[in-house]
Amino acid sequence: MIICPNCKSQESDGAIFCSECGTQLIQSDSAQTQKFSTDSEELRGEIFYVDEMPNQGATWITLHLLETGDILPFSERNEITLGRLSENQPIEPDIDLTPFKAFDNGVSRLHAVIRHNEGNVVLVDLGSSNGTYVNGMRIMPNIEQPLRHGDIVALGKLKMQIVLS
């Protein structure tokens, strides 16, 4: 656990910003991150400094799941739906959060969408049952909410940090 030096909130290991007050939790000149591969062979546990990271291509958004520390980078599409799979579901989300306890955390089958358009990144709640939150504030369904690098997004109770590049 990391304790925020500003508000004393407890954050999961690996958090970059406090989910309560937004204070940056990493105080060094260059943040540490895990190296990942977009190939089928996954490399975990190797630590690199951000300024030493190999070029991974045109990744525009990375989701950093705060509870598990998993890092999910995406680059192929300008729109990504987030949710969980369910039996006999005719439409599936682009990102299945089922392996990250999505059901237990109140993530809907089609919970939200993240869009990237002309340098702007927005989040839209798709009428989810348990709501979508940005930095602790619930957003209205079907209305675009701008996202910034470091924002904490909660789908129900499943928290993730937005890393934009």
Side-chain angles (χ1 to χ4, degrees):
M1 281 298 206
I2 298 173
I3 305 295
C4 174
N6 184 46
C7 70
K8 307 301 182 218
S9 171
Q10 291 186 355
E11 298 297 328
S12 299
D13 288 335
I16 300 171
F17 295 93
C18 175
S19 63
E20 297 298 320
C21 69
T23 298
Q24 184 172 350
L25 300 174
I26 297 175
Q27 299 300 322
S28 65
D29 289 339
S30 52
Q32 288 188 359
T33 185
Q34 289 183 335
K35 179 180 177 182
F36 57 86
S37 172
T38 55
D39 298 333
S40 60
E41 179 184 331
E42 201 159 355
L43 304 173
R44 292 189 182 256
E46 293 185 44
I47 302 297
F48 287 86
Y49 288 96
V50 170
D51 55 356
E52 297 173 354
M53 282 292 289
N55 185 358
Q56 294 291 331
T59 301
W60 61 272
I61 188 167
T62 302
L63 305 178
H64 178 210
L65 299 173
L66 296 181
E67 184 177 322
T68 64
D70 285 293
I71 297 172
L72 308 172
F74 303 100
S75 61
E76 296 97 29
R77 310 170 95 177
N78 287 330
E79 183 173 293
I80 299 168
T81 56
L82 305 168
R84 63 179 170 82
L85 291 181
S86 179
E87 285 187 37
N88 300 322
Q89 182 176 335
I91 301 173
E92 296 180 355
D94 297 319
I95 307 306
D96 176 24
L97 297 168
T98 304
F100 308 104
K101 302 180 186 174
F103 181 81
D104 294 340
N105 282 304
V107 176
S108 294
R109 285 171 247 169
L110 288 177
H111 197 105
V113 63
I114 298 175
R115 292 187 186 119
H116 178 253
N117 187 12
E118 297 178 12
N120 297 317
V121 178
V122 296
L123 174 71
V124 179
D125 178 275
L126 298 174
S128 64
S129 297
N130 294 306
T132 301
Y133 300 80
V134 176
N135 298 323
M137 301 293 292
R138 189 171 185 157
I139 66 172
M140 298 298 297
N142 304 309
I143 296 177
E144 291 185 346
Q145 171 69 39
L147 289 178
R148 297 182 324 259
H149 176 73
D151 281 347
I152 303 294
V153 170
L155 306 181
K157 293 187 278 183
L158 182 65
K159 288 185 180 181
M160 59 192 73
Q161 188 164 37
I162 303 298
V163 180
L164 301 175
S165 51

